[in-house]
Amino acid sequence: MKDKFRLLRRQVIYDLKNGILLQYKKIITFLLLIIILFLFFNNKVYSYKEISHNSVIGFWDYLIYIFRGKEVIRGLSQLDMFDIPVEWILIHGYLLLVIATYPKNDYIERGYQFLIRVGSKWQWWLSKGIYILVSACVYHLCILIVAVAFTAVQGGSFYQANYEIAYHVARLDLTNFIKSKMVVGTLIMPVIIFTTLCFMGMLISFLFNNLIAVIAMIAYLSRSAYWCNKWLLGNYSMLLRADKLSYIEGIGISCASIILSFILGYFYFKRQDIIGKKGDL
């Protein structure tokens, strides 16, 4: 038992090192993406005449902007087809591209080495699941760090959201909006949804390849922008849908999806050859 735990710990350290630490350029790119989005948000806020010139953008305003998503569409028109929550889709898409593709890439590049290193397919697969969870937390932490930095530089509030900014820019009316929903919708649900989508992406990448996995998951994610449905998990990381769906139900569906994707992926992976196909991208 101790030997198995030691081997698992070694594999987890390996994945966190190779999948996160040595991929620092991808983290820097993500930080730059968030900075650009926040700069754009600043310009957008100060261009609104309805917003008081004395208003200062705060921590929660940045998070609301990123995770506001899109209002529920009553009747899908041609105009609605082009009204995409760009910031929301960019962040989710980037994390799918970076996190969900790592397990298959590692299998292709080092598949012939992993039994020598770990000695167990189960431990290798479990380590990849741990990697996904930690990576989702790390990238979400990047968003929080940039939001803290912007707020500190501008002297904004870390405790309250600006009602004017939320209403005019994010189209979110905070008058009757429960603060706990804002906290859960920006700090907890995004991490859960990031993790769930990446577990699903990992499963698809092993069934097919990384390209199909990313395309399939972005297509699935995009449907959330146009349809408010509890089975479309992207809805749970949209604050504008918070009153339409139950976070408890979303957490339950997400956990079930993670477990199902993990188990199905493991049984498929268990049957695979150790030496991956080099041409399988």
Side-chain angles (χ1 to χ4, degrees):
M1 181 64 70
K2 289 184 178 179
D3 288 339
K4 288 183 178 180
F5 179 77
R6 179 174 55 83
L7 291 171
L8 175 61
R9 184 178 63 181
R10 188 171 70 177
Q11 178 63 30
V12 170
I13 292 173
Y14 164 85
D15 283 325
L16 297 182
K17 177 183 177 182
N18 286 274
I20 299 178
L21 295 181
L22 295 182
Q23 301 296 324
Y24 65 90
K25 291 182 180 178
K26 293 178 181 179
I27 295 177
I28 292 174
T29 300
F30 185 70
L31 288 170
L32 290 175
L33 172 63
I34 301 302
I35 290 171
I36 291 171
L37 292 176
F38 283 175
L39 288 174
F40 177 78
F41 175 55
N42 283 0
N43 291 332
K44 196 171 184 180
V45 167
Y46 296 125
S47 68
Y48 275 78
K49 295 181 180 179
E50 298 86 352
I51 299 176
S52 172
H53 292 293
N54 296 324
S55 296
V56 180
I57 306 171
F59 176 76
W60 294 105
D61 302 318
Y62 287 110
L63 295 188
I64 289 172
Y65 172 68
I66 291 294
F67 296 113
R68 72 189 189 282
K70 182 179 173 67
E71 304 105 319
V72 176
I73 301 174
R74 300 300 178 186
L76 190 62
S77 65
Q78 288 185 341
L79 184 61
D80 291 322
M81 293 296 292
F82 296 98
D83 184 17
I84 302 174
V86 178
E87 304 82 11
W88 178 84
I89 199 76
L90 273 176
I91 289 173
H92 287 76
Y94 186 87
L95 296 191
L96 278 170
L97 184 63
V98 172
I99 299 174
T101 58
Y102 166 75
K104 185 63 178 287
N105 284 336
D106 185 63
Y107 173 68
I108 293 171
E109 295 171 5
R110 305 176 184 87
Y112 65 96
Q113 298 175 348
F114 94 88
L115 266 186
I116 298 174
R117 185 176 64 246
V118 185
S120 167
K121 283 188 173 183
W122 166 251
Q123 290 179 350
W124 189 91
W125 189 257
L126 179 59
S127 177
K128 293 300 182 286
I130 295 172
Y131 154 79
I132 288 177
L133 176 59
V134 173
S135 294
C137 293
V138 168
Y139 279 93
H140 187 260
L141 182 62
C142 288
I143 298 174
L144 301 184
I145 290 173
V146 177
V148 167
F150 268 74
T151 303
V153 169
Q154 296 184 111
S157 172
F158 285 96
Y159 306 104
Q160 291 184 337
N162 187 299
Y163 282 51
E164 286 186 336
I165 294 174
Y167 183 77
H168 292 291
V169 181
R171 295 175 291 190
L172 181 66
D173 187 359
L174 294 178
T175 305
N176 298 313
F177 199 83
I178 303 173
K179 189 172 182 179
S180 61
K181 281 194 173 184
M182 182 174 68
V183 174
V184 174
T186 56
L187 298 183
I188 298 175
M189 290 310 297
V191 176
I192 294 175
I193 299 305
F194 292 161
T195 303
T196 307
L197 294 174
C198 289
F199 265 94
M200 295 166 67
M202 179 172 71
L203 168 63
I204 297 173
S205 71
F206 274 85
L207 292 175
F208 302 99
N209 58 51
N210 279 336
L211 180 61
I212 291 177
V214 173
I215 292 174
M217 292 311 302
I218 290 180
Y220 167 76
L221 194 62
S222 299
R223 290 179 65 87
S224 300
Y226 302 109
W227 289 278
C228 184
N229 185 292
K230 67 180 182 180
W231 301 108
L232 296 174
L233 297 177
N235 283 284
Y236 295 103
S237 61
M238 294 186 186
L239 283 174
L240 288 170
R241 309 278 175 93
D243 291 332
K244 307 297 180 183
L245 298 166
S246 166
Y247 280 149
I248 299 298
E249 194 172 38
I251 292 172
I253 294 173
S254 296
C255 290
S257 300
I258 289 173
I259 294 171
L260 185 61
S261 298
F262 182 80
I263 292 174
L264 291 177
Y266 171 67
F267 281 116
Y268 179 83
F269 172 67
K270 188 177 179 181
R271 296 166 51 195
Q272 296 306 295
D273 232 351
I274 299 305
I275 301 178
K277 297 180 180 178
K278 299 298 181 181
D280 188 7
L281 300 177

